[in-house]
Amino acid sequence: YYFQAIKDFTTAIDFDTNYTAAYINRGNAYLLDNKFFEAINDFKKALTLGGDDNNLFFQRGTAFLLMATSPFYSSEINAKSAIKDFSKVIEVDPNYTNAYYYRALAKEKLNIPFCADLKKACSLGISHSKYYNHSNKCWKKYRECNCNH
């Protein structure tokens, strides 16, 4: 489905190997096409070219998280990488709601305490339905995790 976009951004990169936006956009196309390794590699390249946009860390963290939830990849390594990227996002923007929620999901995957992140995400409000994290669902998950925070 994303073949043409990936092809077009690859052409742009072939023309200019320092075209940061092409790496970011191709990385997003790869991510949407469930090609996580390729997405991560493009996000890494964009970062080395100076693309330090916080959304770039969020996108790369999302790719790591999706890999961690897939039975085909190492969940521990990818969940840890996701946590690292989401933590970077939160460091720059302490109100980045979905970074808290996704970091909670990565922590849950590793069986480490995640309720504080989940509570923060819920209290900030989940705003993007594409992340399937409606606020009421977030609070339900928080209540189910039996946290005493």
Side-chain angles (χ1 to χ4, degrees), residues 98-115:
N98 289 311
Y100 285 101
Y101 190 84
Y102 276 22
R103 188 171 72 175
L105 296 178
K107 287 179 176 181
E108 182 181 28
K109 187 75 176 161
L110 294 173
N111 295 315
I112 59 177
F114 63 93
C115 292

Side-chain angles (χ1 to χ4, degrees), residues 71-88:
F72 303 110
Y73 303 101
S74 168
S75 61
E76 184 176 341
I77 292 169
N78 291 306
K80 286 179 179 179
S81 295
I83 291 168
K84 184 178 176 184
D85 277 353
F86 294 134
S87 295
K88 172 81 171 157

Side-chain angles (χ1 to χ4, degrees), residues 8 24 60 67-68 90 109 114 119 126 129:
D8 290 346
I24 294 169
R60 189 174 71 177
M67 285 178 68
I90 291 165
K109 187 75 176 161
F114 63 93
K119 183 177 181 181
I126 302 299
S129 62

